[in-house]
């Protein structure tokens, strides 16, 4: 029975997250089709859900500030937090309500700032989280993690200094959604699969935004015809960054397990051992408990993550839209870009685009889409993914996780990944120029 549970649930999970199928002329993984179906047919219900969750978040977080502690632990998990996170939650919830009701000032509600977050970013994120968190146990709770992790642990250890279990996080991110990948990493860390250091490496090295979103950006930047070169560049630069980051001191992140939890990672690396661990895990798994636990995790995300993303993302977009902050911040990049052969006009478009990605991953593409230089568009487009950290989603999810990230840590990793991946991406772009695939 246990081996059937392992085989059936794992197969369904792999099918849902990793196997692209074509429906209605659109090729995507099943999770992507489900997300599109819900967004296309239940948009008004989704907005109502976000409004409802916003009210709950405002009320519960306010009570959390007053009471400090609830008798029920699940209420503490939902509503008790530090002042900064609480303010961001309440602020993001109010922003969404005001924008949805048409009561927000124009600078916040327009389609390039808070209106973009409330209308185009948050609803898909709500659906993605729900579907992803509900389906993710198919990959993580019925033995697949143990099976794959046991077989490839030596490779993952050698290259990235992390357990083989990290392969599931990486696959879920590359072919599904990076935000889900970070959530999975956080969950696996709390269960004892990773130390704090390993979790930090995995979350900041493997959780790339999925292929579907990369395809959207590639199309915007007119690279659909060479999409696999575009995405391959992202993947390759990410692997290089992961290899290097895994070998840095990262002193803040300790080689310690969360609350003393530790999953046994010893034993022979054979198929038989992998299958034994997988079936043992599947045999212990309770479908009812997993569903209940997943629903609560969705609720926690809706209350603790989504409002913060709304708040920070909107503020970042307002700053980008109405000030020269990112232009000033990116000035040190100008002489570097000019030295690499870009004209002053192109360099002045590239520089802020390389920085603004810290606010939101989609902004660099918007900043650079009209430049005439294919190389510039290619570099900025792929770099925006390779940077990985952006406050409107992944950055704040890291901050709100149990892995120990602060806003400053998030900023450091953004700068670090930019410094590592830019030379790699630039080198690839020059090779493509040499072969006549890209032009200056």
């Amino acid at each position: 029975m246990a081996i059937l549970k392992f085989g059936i649930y794992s197969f369904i999970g792999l099918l849902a997250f990793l196997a692209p199928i074509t429906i209605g002329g659109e090729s995507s993984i099943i999770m992507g089709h489900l997300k599109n179906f819900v967004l296309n047919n239940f948009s008004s219900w989704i907005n109502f859900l976000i409004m409802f969750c916003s009210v709950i978040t405002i009320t519960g977080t306010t009570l959390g500030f007053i009471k400090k502690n609830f008798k029920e632990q699940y209420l503490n998990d939902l509503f008790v937090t530090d002042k900064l996170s609480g303010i961001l939650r309440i602020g993001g919830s109010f922003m969404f309500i005001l924008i949805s009701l048409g009561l927000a000032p124009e600078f916040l509600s327009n389609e390039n700032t808070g209106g973009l977050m409330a209308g185009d970013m948050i609803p898909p994120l709500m659906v993605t989280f729900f579907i992803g968190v509900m389906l993710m146990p198919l990959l993580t709770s019925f033995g697949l993690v143990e099976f794959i992790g046991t077989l490839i642990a030596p490779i993952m250890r050698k290259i990235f200094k992390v357990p083989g279990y990290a392969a599931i996080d990486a696959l879920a991110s590359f072919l599904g959604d990076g935000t889900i990948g970070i959530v999975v990493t956080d969950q696996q860390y709390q269960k004892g699969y990773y130390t704090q250091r390993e979790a930090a490496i995995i979350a900041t090295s493997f959780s790339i935004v999925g292929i579907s979103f990369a395809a959207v950006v590639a199309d915007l930047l007119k690279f659909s015809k060479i999409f696999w070169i575009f995405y391959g560049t992202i993947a390759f630069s990410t692997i290089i960054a992961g290899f290097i980051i895994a070998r840095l001191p990262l002193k803040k992140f300790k080689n310690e397990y969360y609350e003393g939890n530790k999953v046994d990672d010893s034993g022979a690396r054979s198929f038989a051992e992998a299958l034994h661990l997988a079936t043992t895990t599947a045999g212990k798994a309770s479908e009812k408990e997993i569903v209940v636990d997943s629903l609560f995790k969705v609720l926690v995300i809706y209350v603790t993550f989504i409002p913060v993303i709304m708040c920070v993302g909107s503020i970042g977009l307002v700053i980008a839209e109405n000030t020269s902050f990112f232009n000033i911040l990116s000035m040190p990049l100008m002489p570097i870009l000019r030295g690499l052969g870009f004209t002053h006009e192109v360099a002045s478009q590239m520089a802020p685009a390389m920085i603004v990605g810290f606010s939101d991953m989609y902004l660099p593409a918007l900043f650079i889409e009209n430049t005439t230089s294919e190389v510039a568009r290619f570099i900025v487009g792929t770099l925006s993914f390779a940077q990985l950290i952006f406050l409107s989603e992944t950055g704040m999810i890291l901050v709100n996780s149990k892995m120990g990230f602060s806003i400053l840590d998030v900023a450091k990793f953004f700068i670090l990944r930019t410094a590592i991946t830019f030379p790699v991406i630039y080198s690839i772009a020059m090779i493509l120029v040499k072969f006549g695939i890209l032009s200056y």
Side-chain angles (χ1 to χ4, degrees), residues 310-338:
M310 176 67 198
C311 186
V312 175
S314 297
I315 292 172
L317 290 171
V318 168
I319 293 172
E321 182 74 9
N322 297 286
T323 74
S324 299
F325 176 76
F326 290 109
N327 289 320
I328 295 172
L329 201 63
S330 66
M331 285 181 65
L333 296 175
M334 285 293 293
I336 297 174
L337 295 173
R338 295 285 284 120

PDB file of all heavy atoms in Angstrom, residues 310-338:
ATOM      1  N   MET A 310       2.030  43.416  -1.163  1.00  0.00           N
ATOM      2  CA  MET A 310       1.241  44.524  -1.689  1.00  0.00           C
ATOM      3  C   MET A 310       1.824  45.863  -1.241  1.00  0.00           C
ATOM      4  O   MET A 310       1.984  46.791  -2.051  1.00  0.00           O
ATOM      5  CB  MET A 310      -0.213  44.401  -1.203  1.00  0.00           C
ATOM      6  CG  MET A 310      -1.124  45.543  -1.600  1.00  0.00           C
ATOM      7  SD  MET A 310      -1.428  45.607  -3.381  1.00  0.00           S
ATOM      8  CE  MET A 310      -2.014  47.288  -3.563  1.00  0.00           C
ATOM      9  N   CYS A 311       2.174  45.960   0.032  1.00  0.00           N
ATOM     10  CA  CYS A 311       2.675  47.216   0.588  1.00  0.00           C
ATOM     11  C   CYS A 311       4.046  47.572   0.029  1.00  0.00           C
ATOM     12  O   CYS A 311       4.241  48.666  -0.512  1.00  0.00           O
ATOM     13  CB  CYS A 311       2.739  47.107   2.115  1.00  0.00           C
ATOM     14  SG  CYS A 311       3.178  48.648   2.952  1.00  0.00           S
ATOM     15  N   VAL A 312       4.989  46.664   0.141  1.00  0.00           N
ATOM     16  CA  VAL A 312       6.362  46.944  -0.289  1.00  0.00           C
ATOM     17  C   VAL A 312       6.431  47.122  -1.805  1.00  0.00           C
ATOM     18  O   VAL A 312       7.127  48.013  -2.304  1.00  0.00           O
ATOM     19  CB  VAL A 312       7.302  45.811   0.164  1.00  0.00           C
ATOM     20  CG1 VAL A 312       8.705  46.024  -0.392  1.00  0.00           C
ATOM     21  CG2 VAL A 312       7.349  45.745   1.682  1.00  0.00           C
ATOM     22  N   GLY A 313       5.704  46.278  -2.543  1.00  0.00           N
ATOM     23  CA  GLY A 313       5.695  46.398  -3.985  1.00  0.00           C
ATOM     24  C   GLY A 313       5.143  47.736  -4.445  1.00  0.00           C
ATOM     25  O   GLY A 313       5.706  48.388  -5.342  1.00  0.00           O
ATOM     26  N   SER A 314       4.060  48.168  -3.836  1.00  0.00           N
ATOM     27  CA  SER A 314       3.445  49.453  -4.210  1.00  0.00           C
ATOM     28  C   SER A 314       4.368  50.620  -3.893  1.00  0.00           C
ATOM     29  O   SER A 314       4.521  51.544  -4.699  1.00  0.00           O
ATOM     30  CB  SER A 314       2.113  49.629  -3.474  1.00  0.00           C
ATOM     31  OG  SER A 314       1.191  48.634  -3.859  1.00  0.00           O
ATOM     32  N   ILE A 315       4.990  50.593  -2.719  1.00  0.00           N
ATOM     33  CA  ILE A 315       5.909  51.671  -2.349  1.00  0.00           C
ATOM     34  C   ILE A 315       7.089  51.728  -3.314  1.00  0.00           C
ATOM     35  O   ILE A 315       7.488  52.803  -3.774  1.00  0.00           O
ATOM     36  CB  ILE A 315       6.417  51.467  -0.902  1.00  0.00           C
ATOM     37  CG1 ILE A 315       5.265  51.677   0.089  1.00  0.00           C
ATOM     38  CG2 ILE A 315       7.551  52.433  -0.584  1.00  0.00           C
ATOM     39  CD1 ILE A 315       5.612  51.313   1.524  1.00  0.00           C
ATOM     40  N   GLY A 316       7.640  50.561  -3.646  1.00  0.00           N
ATOM     41  CA  GLY A 316       8.758  50.515  -4.585  1.00  0.00           C
ATOM     42  C   GLY A 316       8.381  51.059  -5.948  1.00  0.00           C
ATOM     43  O   GLY A 316       9.150  51.802  -6.570  1.00  0.00           O
ATOM     44  N   LEU A 317       7.179  50.720  -6.410  1.00  0.00           N
ATOM     45  CA  LEU A 317       6.727  51.193  -7.718  1.00  0.00           C
ATOM     46  C   LEU A 317       6.448  52.687  -7.711  1.00  0.00           C
ATOM     47  O   LEU A 317       6.712  53.384  -8.700  1.00  0.00           O
ATOM     48  CB  LEU A 317       5.469  50.419  -8.130  1.00  0.00           C
ATOM     49  CG  LEU A 317       5.696  48.946  -8.471  1.00  0.00           C
ATOM     50  CD1 LEU A 317       4.365  48.222  -8.638  1.00  0.00           C
ATOM     51  CD2 LEU A 317       6.530  48.797  -9.733  1.00  0.00           C
ATOM     52  N   VAL A 318       5.911  53.196  -6.615  1.00  0.00           N
ATOM     53  CA  VAL A 318       5.669  54.643  -6.491  1.00  0.00           C
ATOM     54  C   VAL A 318       7.003  55.400  -6.558  1.00  0.00           C
ATOM     55  O   VAL A 318       7.122  56.428  -7.240  1.00  0.00           O
ATOM     56  CB  VAL A 318       4.927  54.967  -5.176  1.00  0.00           C
ATOM     57  CG1 VAL A 318       4.953  56.477  -4.902  1.00  0.00           C
ATOM     58  CG2 VAL A 318       3.487  54.490  -5.247  1.00  0.00           C
ATOM     59  N   ILE A 319       8.004  54.891  -5.851  1.00  0.00           N
ATOM     60  CA  ILE A 319       9.330  55.521  -5.871  1.00  0.00           C
ATOM     61  C   ILE A 319       9.915  55.489  -7.276  1.00  0.00           C
ATOM     62  O   ILE A 319      10.453  56.489  -7.775  1.00  0.00           O
ATOM     63  CB  ILE A 319      10.275  54.806  -4.875  1.00  0.00           C
ATOM     64  CG1 ILE A 319       9.803  55.051  -3.441  1.00  0.00           C
ATOM     65  CG2 ILE A 319      11.711  55.291  -5.054  1.00  0.00           C
ATOM     66  CD1 ILE A 319      10.558  54.241  -2.410  1.00  0.00           C
ATOM     67  N   ALA A 320       9.809  54.345  -7.938  1.00  0.00           N
ATOM     68  CA  ALA A 320      10.356  54.208  -9.287  1.00  0.00           C
ATOM     69  C   ALA A 320       9.648  55.115 -10.289  1.00  0.00           C
ATOM     70  O   ALA A 320      10.273  55.677 -11.194  1.00  0.00           O
ATOM     71  CB  ALA A 320      10.253  52.755  -9.744  1.00  0.00           C
ATOM     72  N   GLU A 321       8.349  55.266 -10.111  1.00  0.00           N
ATOM     73  CA  GLU A 321       7.533  56.024 -11.064  1.00  0.00           C
ATOM     74  C   GLU A 321       7.654  57.531 -10.870  1.00  0.00           C
ATOM     75  O   GLU A 321       7.599  58.297 -11.840  1.00  0.00           O
ATOM     76  CB  GLU A 321       6.066  55.607 -10.921  1.00  0.00           C
ATOM     77  CG  GLU A 321       5.109  56.283 -11.888  1.00  0.00           C
ATOM     78  CD  GLU A 321       5.219  55.754 -13.308  1.00  0.00           C
ATOM     79  OE1 GLU A 321       5.923  54.735 -13.511  1.00  0.00           O
ATOM     80  OE2 GLU A 321       4.619  56.355 -14.203  1.00  0.00           O
ATOM     81  N   ASN A 322       7.849  57.984  -9.641  1.00  0.00           N
ATOM     82  CA  ASN A 322       7.728  59.407  -9.345  1.00  0.00           C
ATOM     83  C   ASN A 322       9.015  60.097  -8.899  1.00  0.00           C
ATOM     84  O   ASN A 322       9.002  61.306  -8.665  1.00  0.00           O
ATOM     85  CB  ASN A 322       6.659  59.617  -8.260  1.00  0.00           C
ATOM     86  CG  ASN A 322       5.275  59.181  -8.717  1.00  0.00           C
ATOM     87  OD1 ASN A 322       4.639  59.853  -9.514  1.00  0.00           O
ATOM     88  ND2 ASN A 322       4.826  58.038  -8.213  1.00  0.00           N
ATOM     89  N   THR A 323      10.091  59.364  -8.766  1.00  0.00           N
ATOM     90  CA  THR A 323      11.342  59.979  -8.321  1.00  0.00           C
ATOM     91  C   THR A 323      12.506  59.506  -9.200  1.00  0.00           C
ATOM     92  O   THR A 323      12.358  58.621 -10.029  1.00  0.00           O
ATOM     93  CB  THR A 323      11.657  59.610  -6.852  1.00  0.00           C
ATOM     94  OG1 THR A 323      12.093  58.238  -6.794  1.00  0.00           O
ATOM     95  CG2 THR A 323      10.433  59.786  -5.966  1.00  0.00           C
ATOM     96  N   SER A 324      13.659  60.112  -8.978  1.00  0.00           N
ATOM     97  CA  SER A 324      14.877  59.719  -9.693  1.00  0.00           C
ATOM     98  C   SER A 324      15.756  58.826  -8.821  1.00  0.00           C
ATOM     99  O   SER A 324      16.952  58.670  -9.087  1.00  0.00           O
ATOM    100  CB  SER A 324      15.668  60.971 -10.099  1.00  0.00           C
ATOM    101  OG  SER A 324      14.908  61.790 -10.954  1.00  0.00           O
ATOM    102  N   PHE A 325      15.152  58.250  -7.798  1.00  0.00           N
ATOM    103  CA  PHE A 325      15.910  57.470  -6.810  1.00  0.00           C
ATOM    104  C   PHE A 325      16.747  56.375  -7.469  1.00  0.00           C
ATOM    105  O   PHE A 325      17.942  56.242  -7.211  1.00  0.00           O
ATOM    106  CB  PHE A 325      14.949  56.862  -5.786  1.00  0.00           C
ATOM    107  CG  PHE A 325      15.616  55.973  -4.784  1.00  0.00           C
ATOM    108  CD1 PHE A 325      16.354  56.510  -3.750  1.00  0.00           C
ATOM    109  CD2 PHE A 325      15.516  54.587  -4.875  1.00  0.00           C
ATOM    110  CE1 PHE A 325      16.981  55.691  -2.817  1.00  0.00           C
ATOM    111  CE2 PHE A 325      16.142  53.760  -3.959  1.00  0.00           C
ATOM    112  CZ  PHE A 325      16.877  54.318  -2.916  1.00  0.00           C
ATOM    113  N   PHE A 326      16.117  55.582  -8.327  1.00  0.00           N
ATOM    114  CA  PHE A 326      16.841  54.469  -8.945  1.00  0.00           C
ATOM    115  C   PHE A 326      17.873  54.958  -9.963  1.00  0.00           C
ATOM    116  O   PHE A 326      18.913  54.318 -10.153  1.00  0.00           O
ATOM    117  CB  PHE A 326      15.863  53.496  -9.600  1.00  0.00           C
ATOM    118  CG  PHE A 326      15.040  52.715  -8.604  1.00  0.00           C
ATOM    119  CD1 PHE A 326      13.694  52.966  -8.447  1.00  0.00           C
ATOM    120  CD2 PHE A 326      15.637  51.751  -7.811  1.00  0.00           C
ATOM    121  CE1 PHE A 326      12.940  52.250  -7.527  1.00  0.00           C
ATOM    122  CE2 PHE A 326      14.903  51.030  -6.890  1.00  0.00           C
ATOM    123  CZ  PHE A 326      13.544  51.280  -6.741  1.00  0.00           C
ATOM    124  N   ASN A 327      17.602  56.088 -10.602  1.00  0.00           N
ATOM    125  CA  ASN A 327      18.585  56.662 -11.524  1.00  0.00           C
ATOM    126  C   ASN A 327      19.832  57.107 -10.774  1.00  0.00           C
ATOM    127  O   ASN A 327      20.961  56.866 -11.214  1.00  0.00           O
ATOM    128  CB  ASN A 327      17.978  57.856 -12.276  1.00  0.00           C
ATOM    129  CG  ASN A 327      16.943  57.430 -13.294  1.00  0.00           C
ATOM    130  OD1 ASN A 327      17.116  56.439 -13.976  1.00  0.00           O
ATOM    131  ND2 ASN A 327      15.856  58.187 -13.403  1.00  0.00           N
ATOM    132  N   ILE A 328      19.621  57.756  -9.640  1.00  0.00           N
ATOM    133  CA  ILE A 328      20.752  58.225  -8.828  1.00  0.00           C
ATOM    134  C   ILE A 328      21.526  57.032  -8.270  1.00  0.00           C
ATOM    135  O   ILE A 328      22.754  56.997  -8.301  1.00  0.00           O
ATOM    136  CB  ILE A 328      20.246  59.127  -7.684  1.00  0.00           C
ATOM    137  CG1 ILE A 328      19.614  60.406  -8.251  1.00  0.00           C
ATOM    138  CG2 ILE A 328      21.388  59.460  -6.725  1.00  0.00           C
ATOM    139  CD1 ILE A 328      18.912  61.262  -7.220  1.00  0.00           C
ATOM    140  N   LEU A 329      20.778  56.030  -7.786  1.00  0.00           N
ATOM    141  CA  LEU A 329      21.403  54.852  -7.183  1.00  0.00           C
ATOM    142  C   LEU A 329      22.245  54.074  -8.192  1.00  0.00           C
ATOM    143  O   LEU A 329      23.248  53.446  -7.834  1.00  0.00           O
ATOM    144  CB  LEU A 329      20.309  53.946  -6.606  1.00  0.00           C
ATOM    145  CG  LEU A 329      20.704  52.940  -5.525  1.00  0.00           C
ATOM    146  CD1 LEU A 329      21.216  53.670  -4.290  1.00  0.00           C
ATOM    147  CD2 LEU A 329      19.510  52.065  -5.163  1.00  0.00           C
ATOM    148  N   SER A 330      21.847  54.137  -9.449  1.00  0.00           N
ATOM    149  CA  SER A 330      22.530  53.348 -10.479  1.00  0.00           C
ATOM    150  C   SER A 330      23.666  54.092 -11.174  1.00  0.00           C
ATOM    151  O   SER A 330      24.314  53.531 -12.061  1.00  0.00           O
ATOM    152  CB  SER A 330      21.510  52.896 -11.536  1.00  0.00           C
ATOM    153  OG  SER A 330      20.985  54.017 -12.240  1.00  0.00           O
ATOM    154  N   MET A 331      23.928  55.318 -10.772  1.00  0.00           N
ATOM    155  CA  MET A 331      24.966  56.124 -11.440  1.00  0.00           C
ATOM    156  C   MET A 331      26.343  55.445 -11.467  1.00  0.00           C
ATOM    157  O   MET A 331      27.066  55.529 -12.469  1.00  0.00           O
ATOM    158  CB  MET A 331      25.068  57.504 -10.782  1.00  0.00           C
ATOM    159  CG  MET A 331      23.923  58.438 -11.154  1.00  0.00           C
ATOM    160  SD  MET A 331      24.063  60.074 -10.393  1.00  0.00           S
ATOM    161  CE  MET A 331      25.546  60.681 -11.177  1.00  0.00           C
ATOM    162  N   PRO A 332      26.754  54.725 -10.393  1.00  0.00           N
ATOM    163  CA  PRO A 332      28.068  54.056 -10.445  1.00  0.00           C
ATOM    164  C   PRO A 332      28.171  53.008 -11.554  1.00  0.00           C
ATOM    165  O   PRO A 332      29.283  52.635 -11.946  1.00  0.00           O
ATOM    166  CB  PRO A 332      28.184  53.400  -9.060  1.00  0.00           C
ATOM    167  CG  PRO A 332      27.317  54.232  -8.175  1.00  0.00           C
ATOM    168  CD  PRO A 332      26.171  54.645  -9.039  1.00  0.00           C
ATOM    169  N   LEU A 333      27.033  52.524 -12.062  1.00  0.00           N
ATOM    170  CA  LEU A 333      27.057  51.517 -13.120  1.00  0.00           C
ATOM    171  C   LEU A 333      27.344  52.119 -14.497  1.00  0.00           C
ATOM    172  O   LEU A 333      27.763  51.405 -15.410  1.00  0.00           O
ATOM    173  CB  LEU A 333      25.715  50.773 -13.169  1.00  0.00           C
ATOM    174  CG  LEU A 333      25.346  49.936 -11.948  1.00  0.00           C
ATOM    175  CD1 LEU A 333      23.944  49.362 -12.115  1.00  0.00           C
ATOM    176  CD2 LEU A 333      26.363  48.821 -11.726  1.00  0.00           C
ATOM    177  N   MET A 334      27.115  53.422 -14.635  1.00  0.00           N
ATOM    178  CA  MET A 334      27.263  54.070 -15.945  1.00  0.00           C
ATOM    179  C   MET A 334      28.665  53.906 -16.537  1.00  0.00           C
ATOM    180  O   MET A 334      28.806  53.486 -17.701  1.00  0.00           O
ATOM    181  CB  MET A 334      26.883  55.550 -15.841  1.00  0.00           C
ATOM    182  CG  MET A 334      25.388  55.795 -15.738  1.00  0.00           C
ATOM    183  SD  MET A 334      24.524  55.341 -17.273  1.00  0.00           S
ATOM    184  CE  MET A 334      25.172  56.568 -18.411  1.00  0.00           C
ATOM    185  N   PRO A 335      29.732  54.234 -15.802  1.00  0.00           N
ATOM    186  CA  PRO A 335      31.067  54.078 -16.411  1.00  0.00           C
ATOM    187  C   PRO A 335      31.396  52.630 -16.760  1.00  0.00           C
ATOM    188  O   PRO A 335      32.121  52.370 -17.735  1.00  0.00           O
ATOM    189  CB  PRO A 335      32.010  54.618 -15.320  1.00  0.00           C
ATOM    190  CG  PRO A 335      31.219  54.661 -14.065  1.00  0.00           C
ATOM    191  CD  PRO A 335      29.797  54.847 -14.465  1.00  0.00           C
ATOM    192  N   ILE A 336      30.868  51.676 -15.989  1.00  0.00           N
ATOM    193  CA  ILE A 336      31.096  50.254 -16.285  1.00  0.00           C
ATOM    194  C   ILE A 336      30.441  49.896 -17.613  1.00  0.00           C
ATOM    195  O   ILE A 336      31.071  49.267 -18.491  1.00  0.00           O
ATOM    196  CB  ILE A 336      30.540  49.365 -15.157  1.00  0.00           C
ATOM    197  CG1 ILE A 336      31.273  49.653 -13.851  1.00  0.00           C
ATOM    198  CG2 ILE A 336      30.644  47.885 -15.530  1.00  0.00           C
ATOM    199  CD1 ILE A 336      30.688  48.915 -12.662  1.00  0.00           C
ATOM    200  N   LEU A 337      29.187  50.287 -17.769  1.00  0.00           N
ATOM    201  CA  LEU A 337      28.450  49.974 -19.002  1.00  0.00           C
ATOM    202  C   LEU A 337      29.049  50.694 -20.209  1.00  0.00           C
ATOM    203  O   LEU A 337      29.136  50.118 -21.302  1.00  0.00           O
ATOM    204  CB  LEU A 337      26.976  50.344 -18.832  1.00  0.00           C
ATOM    205  CG  LEU A 337      26.214  49.534 -17.771  1.00  0.00           C
ATOM    206  CD1 LEU A 337      24.812  50.100 -17.562  1.00  0.00           C
ATOM    207  CD2 LEU A 337      26.133  48.067 -18.180  1.00  0.00           C
ATOM    208  N   ARG A 338      29.480  51.943 -20.012  1.00  0.00           N
ATOM    209  CA  ARG A 338      30.118  52.676 -21.111  1.00  0.00           C
ATOM    210  C   ARG A 338      31.421  51.996 -21.504  1.00  0.00           C
ATOM    211  O   ARG A 338      31.766  51.897 -22.685  1.00  0.00           O
ATOM    212  CB  ARG A 338      30.382  54.132 -20.696  1.00  0.00           C
ATOM    213  CG  ARG A 338      29.133  54.946 -20.445  1.00  0.00           C
ATOM    214  CD  ARG A 338      28.417  55.341 -21.733  1.00  0.00           C
ATOM    215  NE  ARG A 338      29.101  56.418 -22.419  1.00  0.00           N
ATOM    216  CZ  ARG A 338      29.587  56.351 -23.643  1.00  0.00           C
ATOM    217  NH1 ARG A 338      29.450  55.244 -24.341  1.00  0.00           N
ATOM    218  NH2 ARG A 338      30.186  57.379 -24.210  1.00  0.00           N
TER     219      ARG A 338
END
